[in-house]
Amino acid sequence: MRITHLGHACLLVECAGTRLLIDPGTFADDLTGVRDLDAVLVTHQHPDHLDLDRVPALLAASPGALVVADPGSLEVLVQAGIEARGHDGPTRVGEVTVTPVGEVHALIHDEIPRIPNVGVRLDADGEPSFFHPGDALDADPGPVDVLAFPLQAPWARSREMTAFLRRHAAAHAVPVHDGLLRARGRALYLGQAEQLGSPDTRIHDLAGAGPTEFREGE
C-alpha cells in the first residue's frame, strides 16, 4: 500500500493495483496531476472534503472511475450532474473492498445540524488494512493496520484525538485534517498525538513526503 497526503483530508491510496482518492476538498493541494483513478471516495459533503468544482476534472482524467459517497454527498453530487453511488454495504473496487463505517458527522455546535458522515475502511489480500474516518471519531472499523486521524478540527478537542489513537492502537497512523493549522500549531498537535496517543502506534507525518509505502505485518 502506498499513501500520498494531498493536503488536509485528501489522501491517495494505492492498494492491490487500485488507486483510490479520498475526500478531494477545497483545502487539498493541486490535484490536476491526479489521474488513472479507480474510485473517488467521499466521507461527507463539507467543502473541505468535497470540492464540486474539482470532481469533474478528476473524473475526466480517470474515465470509468467510480464515485462512492455518503448519503448527503450523494445528493449534492447528483444535483450537480455527477454520476455517483451511495454506500450500500461493502463495494468492490478492483481487488479492494471498501466498507462504509459510521453514519453521522461529529457535533460542531448545538445550533448546527449534523449531517451524514461515512468513513471508509479498505481491505485487500496481502495489503495492510486502512481506515479514514472523515469527520467523526466514534465509528468502529475493527482492527486496522493504518489509521488516518484528524489532527485538528473545530469539532474536536485534542484529548478526543489522542483517545481515538489509543482506542484503535493501529500499528501506523497518518494525520489528516490539518488545513487550518500553521507550522507551530501543527507541531504542537503532532507532539500530542505522538506523546499522548497509543504507545503501540507509529505516527507518519506524510505532508509533503510524497508516496509512502506501508506493508502488511510491518
Side-chain angles (χ1 to χ4, degrees):
M1 174 180 285
R2 293 198 305 173
I3 301 176
T4 307
H5 187 195
L6 295 174
H8 195 54
C10 186
L11 295 178
L12 173 63
V13 181
E14 300 172 89
C15 179
T18 304
R19 290 167 56 83
L20 306 109
L21 187 68
I22 304 174
D23 281 1
T26 54
F27 291 179
D29 300 336
D30 182 5
L31 301 178
T32 54
V34 178
R35 58 186 61 252
D36 301 324
L37 299 172
D38 295 286
V40 176
L41 310 177
V42 182
T43 64
H44 66 285
Q45 64 189 281
H46 283 157
D48 60 321
H49 293 255
L50 173 59
D51 184 350
L52 288 174
D53 292 334
R54 296 196 194 195
V55 173
L58 285 168
L59 297 179
S62 302
L66 297 175
V67 180
V68 186
D70 69 283
S73 298
L74 179 62
E75 182 177 348
V76 171
L77 286 161
V78 171
Q79 288 177 350
I82 299 169
E83 185 176 350
R85 67 172 65 176
H87 291 286
D88 295 320
T91 299
R92 190 81 167 180
V93 182
E95 297 300 314
V96 179
T97 299
V98 181
T99 303
V101 184
E103 297 180 353
V104 182
H105 192 287
L107 178 66
I108 302 173
H109 190 278
D110 290 335
E111 296 179 6
I112 299 177
R114 297 175 74 177
I115 61 171
N117 179 91
V118 179
V120 288
R121 176 184 171 124
L122 309 180
D123 292 279
D125 290 342
E127 299 275 4
S129 53
F130 169 85
F131 179 58
H132 189 308
D135 279 9
L137 299 177
D138 58 349
D140 183 8
V144 291
D145 300 305
V146 185
L147 177 72
F149 69 99
L151 192 62
Q152 184 272 342
W155 46 266
R157 293 175 289 189
S158 61
R159 70 184 186 190
E160 295 171 332
M161 175 264 288
T162 55
F164 181 73
L165 289 167
R166 289 191 181 195
R167 186 169 77 253
H168 293 287
H172 307 279
V174 175
V176 294
H177 212 284
D178 56 357
L180 297 178
L181 293 171
R182 298 180 68 177
R184 184 179 298 173
R186 196 171 188 281
L188 186 151
Y189 279 100
L190 276 172
Q192 290 184 332
E194 292 169 347
Q195 298 161 21
L196 302 175
S198 171
D200 300 320
T201 299
R202 178 183 173 190
I203 305 295
H204 301 261
D205 183 10
L206 303 189
T212 300
E213 192 167 286
F214 297 85
R215 295 182 180 273
E216 187 179 34
E218 295 183 3

